[in-house]
Amino acid sequence: MKKKIQLAAALLMGAVMLNMPQAQAQQLAIKGETVYTMAGAPIKNGVVLVKDGKIEAVGAANAVQVPQGYVTYTAKVVTPGFVDAHTSVGLAGIYNIPADQQQLEKTAPIQPELRALDAYNPQEELVEWVRNHGVTTINTGHGPGALVSGQTMTIKTSPDGFATLMDTTKMIAFTLGATVGENYNSPKTSAKGMAMLRAELQAAQAYARKAANADVSKRPDRNLKLEYLTGMLDKKYKALVTANRANDIMAALRLAKEFDLDMILDGGAEAYLLIDEIKAAGVPVILHPTMARANGDSKNMSFETAGVLARAGVPIAIQSGFEQYVPRARVLLFEAGVAVANGMTQEQALAAVTTTPARLIGLEHRIGSLEKGKDADVVLFDGDPFEYTTHVCAVIIDGKEVNKECK
């Protein structure tokens, strides 16, 4: 009995700690030899003032007076907190064992009703790992591998856990390509997969018409699957479609046009072959990790794709993605750095991990740049962020120091 009581107390304390603030928001003055605000030209010898979790002022040191009592940080380079537009961190765990892999349900190929919120573990070590590398916001959820694997949600990587949840449902995650057939008995081909998706979306259209009937008695029973697909058809949620081969990318573009989806192309290994088509469709791309393994549907990927798309004017974000090996997610900073080495400018790469992903997930009014009134998510470096030997030396989320150790 005593052991049961101790266990119950430990569980209760764990639940309390999960919801307790791990650090207090302070009044901060963050000084950088170079400050990339992502809202204008970089500021040499810049200062970012933080108060009550928000950015109070940004500017050159000779124009921004630091009030008394502010805690001062100094760094070589200061940037906004990085935004990872597509990951499965918190559903996929760091150890790659069945107990910490919650990102793909293999009982059915179409399950838009699966909520990321119900599987996300804010205490997962992988959350801390990406935070220590400068990622302050993640759009995380069910991973590629099913025709419709589930939903994504947006949350800060702060130790405060669910207290920093920004949106429970942002996108519905789709996958087109050979990987689906590896996980399910049906579909086994791209044509069958598309037919199944089109039939389900047509069913959602019919469900929406019936649900709008003025006669309550004639409305259908609630159907979570069709309800979320209807929300996507109404543009309440975006369609995040993972497609890597050119033929699958074209199928995704056709699907978006047929059902008027607000679509984001995910992966896009062969997107460089379809730049005109992607631009004409007005579809942004969350590109696969630059250093992803070149096999399967991604066998024709290129280090240069990020730069090619950026130069063509296609809105692009770089993601950490999902890996089959530990630690399950790539370092977003390194992925952007490789893109810089292969044709992207430094400004384009910074935008691909700050302002562009913030805009794609609809939270550009809060995150992605250092501007007055926005969330105080800031990363401090001891050198050029895209140099391999540079370290993240402090991470601040909502005005709270969550990491102060050069890593």
Side-chain angles (χ1 to χ4, degrees), residues 243-262:
N244 283 296
R245 296 182 305 180
N247 61 309
D248 291 322
I249 293 171
M250 284 304 302
L253 297 180
R254 288 193 296 270
L255 189 73
K257 183 177 181 180
E258 179 179 358
F259 292 95
D260 191 27
L261 304 179
D262 188 356

Side-chain angles (χ1 to χ4, degrees), residues 134-263:
V135 176
T136 57
T137 302
I138 52 176
N139 183 47
T140 188
H142 294 88
L147 285 177
V148 186
S149 60
Q151 304 167 22
T152 71
M153 61 182 243
T154 305
I155 192 169
K156 301 282 185 78
T157 58
S158 166
D160 289 354
F162 282 117
T164 63
L165 181 67
M166 303 180 80
D167 202 313
T168 57
T169 306
K170 270 296 177 187
M171 303 174 188
I172 307 294
F174 291 66
T175 306
L176 303 180
T179 56
V180 177
E182 296 171 3
N183 296 315
Y184 302 93
N185 291 328
S186 179
K188 287 298 185 184
T189 64
S190 295
K192 177 66 173 179
M194 284 297 295
M196 291 172 66
L197 286 176
R198 294 177 68 234
E200 207 68 57
L201 291 172
Q202 287 172 352
Q205 290 175 328
Y207 176 82
R209 288 192 295 269
K210 293 176 181 179
N213 197 311
D215 186 344
V216 176
S217 66
K218 294 182 179 180
R219 294 176 184 174
D221 293 336
R222 189 177 184 187
N223 183 311
L224 286 178
K225 176 189 290 186
L226 297 179
E227 187 175 296
Y228 279 105
L229 290 178
T230 297
M232 185 186 65
L233 292 172
D234 291 339
K235 294 184 170 56
K236 182 178 179 181
Y237 316 120
K238 294 186 178 184
L240 179 68
V241 183
T242 299
N244 283 296
R245 296 182 305 180
N247 61 309
D248 291 322
I249 293 171
M250 284 304 302
L253 297 180
R254 288 193 296 270
L255 189 73
K257 183 177 181 180
E258 179 179 358
F259 292 95
D260 191 27
L261 304 179
D262 188 356
M263 191 187 93

